[in-house]
Amino acid sequence: MDLRTAADTGTKARTRRAILDAAVTVLTADPAASLGDIAAAAGVGRTTVHRYFPERADLTTALQQMGWEHVVQATRRARLTEGTGADGLDRLCQEYFELGNVLMLVFNYSAPDGDVTWDCDPDSQSVLDLITRGHRDGSIDSTLTGPWIRDILWALLYAAWQQSRTGVASRHQALDSCLRALHKVVAP
Amino acid sequence: MDLRTAADTGTKARTRRAILDAAVTVLTADPAASLGDIAAAAGVGRTTVHRYFPERADLTTALQQMGWEHVVQATRRARLTEGTGADGLDRLCQEYFELGNVLMLVFNYSAPDGDVTWDCDPDSQSVLDLITRGHRDGSIDSTLTGPWIRDILWALLYAAWQQSRTGVASRHQALDSCLRALHKVVAP
DNA sequence: CGATAGTGGAACATCGATGTTCCACAGCGG
DNA sequence: CCGCTGTGGAACATCGATGTTCCACTATCG
């Protein structure tokens, strides 16, 4: 017998995923949305939400964890150890941009819930290492500290996503603007 | 007889101001804080808060209005019509940075309450005009649109204030980093 | 001194979100 | 077919925030 039951990849997993996905969408639009709103958006009953996440905190915790897993995977896909530091940063920006709403949620949930800023997560160090490599190979301005560049990256991504979300620019235009701004900032 | 009673500049004005100031501090830290928290931070009773702002919405409206007034005044102080476009943007960044928490509040309250983004306020046009002038006088990269540069400005300010607020950098260092990043982005 | 403005606090009603319980229904495999 | 699993919905209790009312206290000014 398996520790995880067979249903773990079946109906239950799908329902859980639907709730989490809906939560990302709804909570991004309104961080104070009720569980009923989330249930409605997920197309399930409020009871079902409570079945999967007994308390609201359980849901937000799961959301935060899922969000960070996405960020970690995106960081991995960016292959930070290949090419120059600036190249890696470029790929990282593109991967993060693809995360969309998940990114905004992780961004916003860092402060209010717990002060678990993005300093303490496992992949943050690899980003700082990337920047250090960029400092050494001359592709990143050495006068800009690692944490500051990382924060600029997130800030630019936030602004770019706002642009795309509000229809000021298309998704592609927003990403393009973001990448160019990042290039100019980190260039020595 | 005055339309505004004499007390308008006396005790009542001071109490009102204390409540608004406390609200800025508290709501910046936790946007979902209760009126009791705000009253305690202001050093007044919860009843008094209700006397000045009968409903929560009245308080948030007043906050938003006060915030925008500060922004407008800061924009005026930056004397956007003097010097090159880039110079004006530089001064604007410094003035906005000085607004501190008020800035963060205006920034955060743009989306959740009403969709009154910073496009519709009176001073926004003068900022866009400034950028257009920078495009013409060659001090600002013409391939970057006005709205995008304005959003970058806000995003960088947000990131810089986070740095200073979390103690990663001093206030002065944060502003310096912010200004240098802005310079590099807008440079043609 | 006496009136008035401004305030604080207690008490209360209300409302929405939350969390729990229970029951009914549908699908699916043995 | 029967039982199990997953679900939806109704009903209920609870809790915290909100908004209101009322009364007492203090300081200031005429």
Side-chain angles (χ1 to χ4, degrees), chain A residues 3-78:
Chain A
L3 285 182
R4 5 175 97 184
T5 99
D8 202 32
T9 54
T11 308
K12 285 174 84 168
R14 247 176 302 122
T15 303
R16 183 185 151 97
R17 187 53 166 269
I19 294 173
L20 286 176
D21 286 349
V24 169
T25 304
V26 174
L27 290 182
T28 306
D30 174 18
S34 75
L35 295 183
D37 296 336
I38 296 174
V44 303
R46 193 169 65 92
T47 312
T48 302
V49 173
H50 275 108
R51 243 189 290 272
Y52 284 81
F53 308 97
E55 298 190 6
R56 188 183 232 274
D58 296 324
L59 175 59
T60 57
T61 300
L63 270 179
Q64 206 165 359
Q65 185 182 338
M66 186 195 71
W68 277 120
E69 278 171 13
H70 282 204
V71 170
V72 168
Q73 284 170 14
T75 306
R76 196 162 297 143
R77 282 197 299 272

Side-chain angles (χ1 to χ4, degrees), chain A residues 120-142:
Chain A
C120 57
D121 69 295
D123 82 306
S124 180
Q125 191 53 50
S126 59
V127 174
L128 294 181
D129 289 346
L130 167 76
I131 296 174
T132 302
R133 207 180 80 243
H135 283 159
R136 275 204 274 269
D137 67 28
S139 62
I140 296 180
D141 186 343
S142 295

